[in-house]
Every structure is written in C-alpha cells, then in structure tokens.
C-alpha cells in the first residue's frame, strides 16, 4: 500500500550541544558488505529525498519522534552520536556512531553535515502470516547527509522513531566501491541495567552490560560477545530489545562489553561463522551506494508491551518480493522415524491430530556428515509412496538437508519440487559472515522459485527476512527442547529471542526429560510465535493411541500457528508470561511460569463485549514427583469480557485456555 501520509521536510539545524562524546573503546569488528535495500526497488515507499539544504555544519542535532518515543542524532564538533528515550526516560544514553573503512578511515570522527530532511509515514500492510492480520507502519524518519572532512567521502545516517521503538542505519552515498572493516555503533544503557546475554544456543544469563561472558574458540569470534536479540531490563521499569533488520549481504551483528565503560555495549560484525566452519572475512568490498542493516531497539513501557511491539523488526525489513503467496501455508509439523511405515503412520497421525506436515529428519538419505548426496532416500524409505499418500490426505512433506548437500541448491530444490515436497529444513547452517548471509538469503530465494518453505536450523539469527520472502518461515537459533531447558529460560524467550522473529523450539508433550509440566509445554503453542510449529518432538504416533491418557491432545489438535490478533496480557522476563492470540473468533491463551508457582489474575477485557465464551482450561493438577509428572486437569466455564481469570500454575508450570464463542 502507498503511505497515507509521506512528507519530506527540511529541518533547521539547531545549536550544538556541549560535551562532545569521546570515542569509545571498540571491539574489533569484521568485514562488511551491505546490499542496498531501502534505496532500491525492494520498497515502494520513497526514501528521504536527495540532497536538499546545503549547510556545512559540524555541530547540529535532530530528533525523530513518534508518540512518546524519540531518537536523536547529533553532531558535536564533527563527532557523530545518538540517543533514544521513551516518555522522557533514557533508553539509550549518548552513544557513538561511525564506520571504519578497510584503509583505516573512520567515518564519524570529523564530519560535516551537508543536508538534512525529515519525513513521516503512516501505512498499514498485511503479512502473509504473522502475529496480527494487519501491521501498522507509522514512523518519523530523519535523514542526514554527511561528508568526511579528511577524505571527502559522502555518507549518511538515517534514524527512525516508532511508537514501538527506534532504529538507525548508515548509507554510503558515493558511486563506486567501498571496503568496510568495522561498525562503530555503541549502545550506552542507563545505570543498573541488566542485559540478557546468550551465545549460540546457550541459556540466557542476566548480567551487567560490562559482564558479558567471554566466549568463542580458536575458530570463532572470541571475546565478551553476545548474540542478538539482546534484551536490556532498564532500572526505571522500561525494557528494550536490540535486534537487526534488513541484513542483506552483510555480516551478522553481535554486541560486546567495552572495557572501562560499565553501561556500554559496542557493535561487533562477525568475522567467523558462528560455529567456525568456512573462511574468515575481515574486510568486504561492496558496490556503492548501499545501506547497512537497521539497528533496531524495540521498547516496552512494560515487559508485556515489549512482546507486542516485536513487529518493529518486520516494518524495517524490505517489502515482500513475491507476487504469488498462495502456496505459503504455516502449520504444525510431526517428525517421523526413518521408514516407509513410519511415514505412512505419521500421515495418519497428522490427519487425526490436525497437523499440516510430516518431516523426515537427518538420516533419510544416509549419515548426514558423510553422505553429501540428498537426492536418494535410504532403502528403508519409499519416499514416492509416502509423498503420494500424504498428498492424497492433504498433508505436506518436509525433508531435512545438511549444509554439505547444498552445493547445488537450484538443482536440489528443483528435484524436490518435482517429487511434490512442500518444504525443506536446512541443518547446521553457518550464519555469521557476509558470505553466509548471502547464502541464507539465496537459499530462501531459490526455494521460493520452486515454491518450497524453508526452516533454517542451528545457530542462525532473525533479521526480518520472513517479510521479504515469507517462505523463509522459521529458524532455530534458540535453546529449545533438543536441550530440555529450564522453565526460567522458557519464560525469557518471549522477551528476547522471539522479539527478533519466528523460532523453532520443538514442543514436547509428556516427555520424561522435560524440566517443566505438560501444561507449560502446551502453553508454548500460544505464547511463542512459531508459524511452523514442530509438535510431539521425539514421539511416535503409538504413544497417543490411548487418547484417554493424554487430556491435552484436543488443545494441540485445535491451536493454529498464525493469528489475526495478539495480546500479551502479563509478563516479566525470566519469571512469567501470558499471551492471548485470536484466530477467527476463537482465542487461545497461554500462560507460563518459571520455577516459582504462582497465580496470575488475567482480565479477559480483550473479548467481544457482547459475546459469552466457553473457556476450556488445561491446567496443572497436583504436582507430581517431577514437573513432567504433574497431570493436566481440564475444566470448562462460561466467561465474558468482564471476567478476571485466576490462572494458577505449579512450579515450572502453565495453563492453556481455549476461548470459544458460545
């Protein structure tokens, strides 16, 4: 859609601020190659207009505002800096901006402003699937054109303010090529901030910004580094999550502690892949002009509001690149054992349980690390028969492929399309470097060519690409039920990793290795945003043959994976969360707690005022000898928008509630 309002407004330069920011100590960054996104044909929305006012100032500032959110870019005696606030409270204090080029030139230390424009956009758009049927894209953007005093290089800074957060990016403006070595952005948090740090698929650790654990190996990036999304719990009640969006042909961003700067984290562009396979990339040469990814700070006045503001990442991503999306269908997935019989049984199980896809995982074409040919199933699987049977029942088939078998993705994906495969789960993907970003986005584009869904696995991180290519429907990059995390970790994810984009957690029901109750696992299907949701992980259909022993099955049968409306009703990172999501006229409410048993009072004011609903409640029963032995107790009651539910949860427990119009 075209913006309802779009305006470029020249802005007067205001007087300089006192107290120029000294350059922060920076962790060594990595090579950068950035594809031009916002300035290219991927978006129908006009960027800030080309050179307008012709000042040559070395001291100025400008602020973009939306609602109570503001982001400011400043030039103080030639040095670039930025800050952000919500309702007058500091989210990001005065922080550095800049880029270091491959020849050592620093853009940001001594620059002059040559042009300044502002625009406001108010738009709505409809995702193919998502947390909400409609997304509001309402922001004010400030564009600065700049010139480096020593080299004469022209570049720009773009800042945006949304009600839901702020964002910034750099643009290299000269025609030609450029080599970039570091991004010098810092994030200075208020005193007493706690950040939730996690690397690879490790659990989240709450620490001070200067206490990020030192990690890495000889073949990976080393230092006090954390992956994104990175959530910061501010001391005054605000909460913020640093994410990236529109990462195209560019390394993945990490953040690192800065020696001697207790509240500061600095940008670190990855030089190695996340798990150390592939070439090291320390510089990258790109064709200019180009724009770096957006550095987004999603902001919540409450922890619950942060969860509801996650669509900021999508708003910053390039608009959809596909004209036909009718074949893109979110849904639930069941993993089958590696035989023909298991596949056929899996199809029947999927039909009976309201599941949309079955999947053959690692091993279907042989040992994945010694068999680089993913075109021939093992003898135990008659794949054509399974696909044919699945198709006749309206069930899609996913196939797992290790990265070693992806030497010719175009040929492989074309073959899978000819077989009738619906999607591919790619394993052991080495995200991190510019080369790997280009491979990941390239695989998504190639899969779209053959109308295949993509689920990207292992240490990958989101950047809004599911908006551009909605067939890039899910990704892992999370400590899920392959490691059976703690309840505390599980109730951290909605406020951290899931803010950045979809996740593939692999929900387990009735699994003896769970550290949580069954109701806690059930609630994940509503709490987590998972448009492709793997259920009954590690299970066989025979486990549920006697349905009377599994009272939670009707919940999994019914719960969808894409939504018309989402509301986070309560939450505190690492402690508890309650989320309600609507599909059609039915609401699905999930609540989860950490290892502390608690009761939440949850108003149902989001329900239609004139309708009575039947609430089917799946709750924790009397705690068993371990959390997974706590039974699920089912009850029903009539409720209205005036009802306040008392949601009681055992230690590591939860509730799952279906609210159906009577």
């Amino acid at each position: 859609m075209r913006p309802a309002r779009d305006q470029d407004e020249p802005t007067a330069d205001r007087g300089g601020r006192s107290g120029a920011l000294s350059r922060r100590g920076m962790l060594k960054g990595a090579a950068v190659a950035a594809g031009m996104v916002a300035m290219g044909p991927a978006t129908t929305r006009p960027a800030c207009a080309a050179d307008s006012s012709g000042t040559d100032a070395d001291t100025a500032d400008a602020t973009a505002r939306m609602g109570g959110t503001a982001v400011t870019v400043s030039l103080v005696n030639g040095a670039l800096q930025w800050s952000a606030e919500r309702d007058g409270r500091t989210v990001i204090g005065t922080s550095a901006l800049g880029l270091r080029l491959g020849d050592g030139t620093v853009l940001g230390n001594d620059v002059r402003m040559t042009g300044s424009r502002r625009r406001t956009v108010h738009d709505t758009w409809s995702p193919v699937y998502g947390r909400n049927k409609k997304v509001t894209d309402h922001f004010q953007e400030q564009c600065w054109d700049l010139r480096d005093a020593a080299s004469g290089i022209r570049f720009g800074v773009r800042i945006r303010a949304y009600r839901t957060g702020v964002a910034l990016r750099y643009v290299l403006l000269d025609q030609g090529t450029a080599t970039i070595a570091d991004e010098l952005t810092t994030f200075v948090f208020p005193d007493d901030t706690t950040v939730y740090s996690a690397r690879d698929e490790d659990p989240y650790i709450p620490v001070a910004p200067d206490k990020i654990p030192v990690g890495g190996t000889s073949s990976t990036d080393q230092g006090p580094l954390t992956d994104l999304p990175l959530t910061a719990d501010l001391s005054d009640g605000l909460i913020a999550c640093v994410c990236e969006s529109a990462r195209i042909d560019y390394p993945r961003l990490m953040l690192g502690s800065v020696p001697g700067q207790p509240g500061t984290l600095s940008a670190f562009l990855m030089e190695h892949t996340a798990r150390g396979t592939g070439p090291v990339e320390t510089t990258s040469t790109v064709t200019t002009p180009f724009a770096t990814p957006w550095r987004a700070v999603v902001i919540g006045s409450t922890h619950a509001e942060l969860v509801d503001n996650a669509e900021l990442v999508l708003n910053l991503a390039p608009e959809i690149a596909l004209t036909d999306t009718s074949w893109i269908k979110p849904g639930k997935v069941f993993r089958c054992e590696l035989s023909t019989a298991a596949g056929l049984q899996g199809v029947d199980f999927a039909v009976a349980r309201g599941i949309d896809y079955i999947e053959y995982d690692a091993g279907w074409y042989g040992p994945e690390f010694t068999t680089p040919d993913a075109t021939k199933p093992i003898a135990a699987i008659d794949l054509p028969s399974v696909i044919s049977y699945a198709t006749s029942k309206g069930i899609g088939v996913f196939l797992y492929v290790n990265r070693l078998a992806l030497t010719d993705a175009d040929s492989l994906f074309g073959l899978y399309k000819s077989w009738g495969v619906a999607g591919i789960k790619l394993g052991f993907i080495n995200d991190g470097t510019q080369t790997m970003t280009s491979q990941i986005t390239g695989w998504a584009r190639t899969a779209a060519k053959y109308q295949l869904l993509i689920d990207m696995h292992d240490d990958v991180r989101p950047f809004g690409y599911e908006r551009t290519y909605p067939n890039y429907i899910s990704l892992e990059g999370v400590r899920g039920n392959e490691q059976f995390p703690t309840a505390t970790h599980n109730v951290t994810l909605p406020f951290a990793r899931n803010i950045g984009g979809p996740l593939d957690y692999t929900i387990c029901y009735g699994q003896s290795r769970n550290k949580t109750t069954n109701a806690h696992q059930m609630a994940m299907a509503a709490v987590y945003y998972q448009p492709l949701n793997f259920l009954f992980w590690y299970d066989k259909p025979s486990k549920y043959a006697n349905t009377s022993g599994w009272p939670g099955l009707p919940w999994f049968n019914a719960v969808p994976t894409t939504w018309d409306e989402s509301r986070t009703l309560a939450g505190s990172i690492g402690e508890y969360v309650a989320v309600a999501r609507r599909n059609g006229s039915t609401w699905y409410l999930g609540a989860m707690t950490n290892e502390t048993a608690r009761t939440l009072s949850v108003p149902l004011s989001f329900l239609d005022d004139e309708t009575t609903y039947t609430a089917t409640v799946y709750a924790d029963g009397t705690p068993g000898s371990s959390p997974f032995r706590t039974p699920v107790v089912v009850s029903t009651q009539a409720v209205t928008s005036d009802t306040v539910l008392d949601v009681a949860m055992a230690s590591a427990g939860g509730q799952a509630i279906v609210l159906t119009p009577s």
Side-chain angles (χ1 to χ4, degrees):
M1 296 178 63
R2 287 190 174 275
R5 185 168 64 128
D6 185 6
Q7 55 189 13
D8 284 332
E9 305 173 17
T11 56
D13 303 326
R14 297 191 294 278
R17 296 175 175 176
S18 60
L21 176 71
S22 62
R23 298 305 293 170
R24 307 284 183 181
M26 302 296 170
L27 288 167
K28 178 71 173 71
V32 179
M36 191 54 191
V37 179
M39 298 173 67
T43 177
T44 60
R45 181 179 296 119
C48 288
D51 292 331
S52 57
S53 57
T55 67
D56 195 12
D58 70 351
T59 298
D61 64 14
T63 299
R65 302 181 186 276
M66 187 56 59
T69 305
V71 56
T72 298
V73 60
S74 302
L75 193 58
V76 179
N77 298 323
L80 279 171
Q81 50 192 298
W82 74 289
S83 60
E85 63 181 35
R86 163 66 71 84
D87 296 329
R89 294 177 287 173
T90 298
V91 177
I92 303 293
T94 303
S95 302
L97 292 171
L99 296 171
R100 180 179 288 116
L101 304 184
D103 63 2
T105 298
V106 172
L107 303 179
N109 269 347
D110 188 10
V111 300
R112 302 294 182 270
M113 186 176 69
T114 60
S116 174
R117 289 140 345 264
R118 183 174 63 235
R119 67 180 180 130
T120 300
V121 169
H122 194 176
D123 196 5
T124 59
W125 57 280
S126 299
V128 177
Y129 53 82
R131 299 171 176 89
N132 296 286
K133 190 173 183 178
K134 294 284 187 183
V135 177
T136 298
D137 189 11
H138 190 191
F139 64 85
Q140 187 175 87
E141 180 177 76
Q142 181 73 40
C143 305
W144 271 11
D145 294 336
L146 304 158
R147 178 177 52 81
D148 180 62
S151 67
I153 293 173
R154 297 187 311 119
F155 71 108
V157 175
R158 309 289 186 254
I159 59 171
R160 284 186 184 178
Y162 293 77
R163 294 181 184 275
T164 55
V166 303
L168 64 89
R169 77 188 321 178
Y170 305 96
V171 181
L172 289 178
L173 298 170
D174 289 326
Q175 298 283 339
T177 60
T179 301
I180 305 177
D182 292 288
E183 186 172 319
L184 306 179
T185 311
T186 63
F187 299 79
V188 179
F189 293 103
D191 292 343
D192 300 321
T193 292
T194 297
V195 298
Y196 286 77
S197 169
R199 185 164 178 176
D200 200 340
E201 293 176 10
D202 293 338
Y204 281 92
I205 302 172
V207 295
D210 63 337
K211 302 297 183 184
I212 302 294
V214 174
T217 68
S218 60
S219 61
T220 64
D221 294 312
Q222 300 182 60
L225 296 169
T226 179
D227 283 321
L228 300 186
L230 183 281
T231 299
D233 191 0
L234 311 184
S235 58
D236 60 359
L238 295 176
I239 187 168
C241 186
V242 181
C243 304
E244 63 178 346
S245 186
R247 170 164 49 101
I248 311 295
D249 296 330
Y250 201 88
R252 192 169 98 191
L253 178 68
M254 301 179 79
L255 295 178
S257 297
V258 179
Q261 300 290 338
T264 301
L265 295 177
S266 67
F268 183 94
L269 298 171
M270 294 176 68
E271 298 179 352
H272 301 77
T273 59
R275 293 184 176 175
T277 302
V280 178
E281 300 178 7
T282 57
T283 62
S284 295
T285 300
V286 298
T287 301
T288 57
F290 72 85
T292 66
W294 288 103
R295 294 358 187 158
V297 183
V298 184
I299 303 170
S301 296
T302 65
H303 291 212
E305 184 187 70
L306 178 74
V307 179
D308 285 342
N309 288 348
E311 286 169 333
L312 173 63
V313 176
L314 288 182
N315 274 328
L316 294 165
E319 294 177 13
I320 188 167
L322 304 178
T323 55
D324 176 17
T325 60
S326 61
W327 54 275
I328 298 175
K329 299 186 184 303
K332 295 171 282 191
V333 193
F334 176 73
R335 181 181 67 165
C336 302
E337 293 186 305
L338 301 178
S339 71
T340 303
L344 298 176
Q345 292 164 8
V347 171
D348 291 338
F349 183 72
V351 171
R353 300 266 73 87
I355 293 172
D356 306 276
Y357 301 98
I358 64 164
E359 187 242 2
Y360 279 127
D361 213 274
W364 73 266
Y365 58 86
E368 61 174 328
F369 286 107
T370 58
T371 310
D373 182 3
T375 66
K376 299 174 183 177
I378 59 175
I381 300 175
D382 181 352
L383 194 56
S385 293
V386 173
I387 293 174
S388 177
Y389 185 65
T391 302
S392 73
K393 299 291 186 177
I395 304 299
V397 176
F398 266 74
L399 296 178
Y400 173 93
V401 179
N402 183 282
R403 68 168 186 269
L404 299 181
L406 289 171
T407 53
D408 186 352
D410 190 84
S411 176
L412 186 65
F413 293 178
L415 178 65
Y416 289 170
K417 175 64 174 177
S418 72
W419 288 356
V421 170
I424 310 169
K425 174 180 170 182
L426 301 182
F428 291 94
I429 301 306
N430 285 323
D431 193 11
T433 62
Q434 177 217 3
T435 295
M436 283 313 307
T437 297
S438 297
Q439 282 203 346
I440 287 169
T441 55
W443 288 328
R445 292 193 300 270
T446 302
K449 174 182 173 182
Y450 295 106
Q451 296 190 344
L452 295 170
L453 302 181
I454 287 285
D455 179 17
M456 206 75 64
H457 253 240
D458 294 286
D459 188 13
V460 289
R461 287 294 183 276
F463 51 95
Y465 207 59
E466 67 273 18
R467 178 183 183 183
T468 314
Y469 281 88
N471 65 305
Y472 185 54
I473 195 168
S474 190
L475 60 157
E476 192 180 16
V478 68
R479 190 176 188 84
N481 264 342
E482 290 178 330
Q483 292 92 5
F484 298 103
T486 64
T488 293
H489 172 82
N490 293 341
V491 294
T492 301
L493 294 178
F495 310 93
R497 166 63 182 83
N498 216 181
I499 299 295
L503 57 80
D504 184 354
Y505 181 95
T506 59
I507 294 174
C508 290
Y509 178 51
Q511 171 56 245
S512 63
R513 289 175 286 179
N514 282 343
K515 297 182 178 71
T516 68
T517 70
N518 286 331
H520 182 103
Q521 294 284 322
M522 292 169 62
M524 292 176 180
V527 170
Y528 295 162
Y529 173 53
Q530 300 187 103
L532 194 72
N533 193 352
F534 279 75
L535 299 177
F536 309 109
W537 194 249
Y538 296 117
D539 284 344
K540 303 177 184 179
S542 58
K543 174 177 173 178
Y544 302 103
N546 181 6
T547 58
S548 64
W550 303 105
L553 287 178
W555 162 266
F556 287 119
N557 295 351
V559 68
T561 66
T562 188
W563 310 98
D564 295 324
E565 186 179 357
S566 295
R567 303 279 188 92
T568 303
L569 309 176
S572 180
I573 187 169
E575 295 186 28
Y576 60 89
V577 64
V579 178
R581 303 189 192 271
R582 180 177 61 83
N583 184 288
S585 59
T586 302
W587 287 86
Y588 299 82
L589 196 161
M592 300 159 59
T593 185
N594 60 7
E595 286 73 16
T596 299
R598 72 181 79 233
T599 298
L600 299 179
S601 294
V602 178
L604 302 185
S605 54
F606 56 88
L607 296 177
D608 182 77
D609 289 339
E610 299 179 355
T611 303
T612 299
Y613 293 76
T614 298
T616 303
V617 180
Y618 300 86
D620 295 314
T622 303
S625 57
S626 59
F628 88 93
R629 294 188 183 278
T630 298
V632 173
V633 177
V634 185
S635 63
T636 61
Q637 66 182 93
V639 298
T640 68
S641 60
D642 294 326
T643 303
V644 177
L645 282 182
D646 288 330
V647 179
M649 297 176 285
S651 172
Q655 278 198 23
I657 303 170
V658 183
L659 298 159
T660 308
S662 299

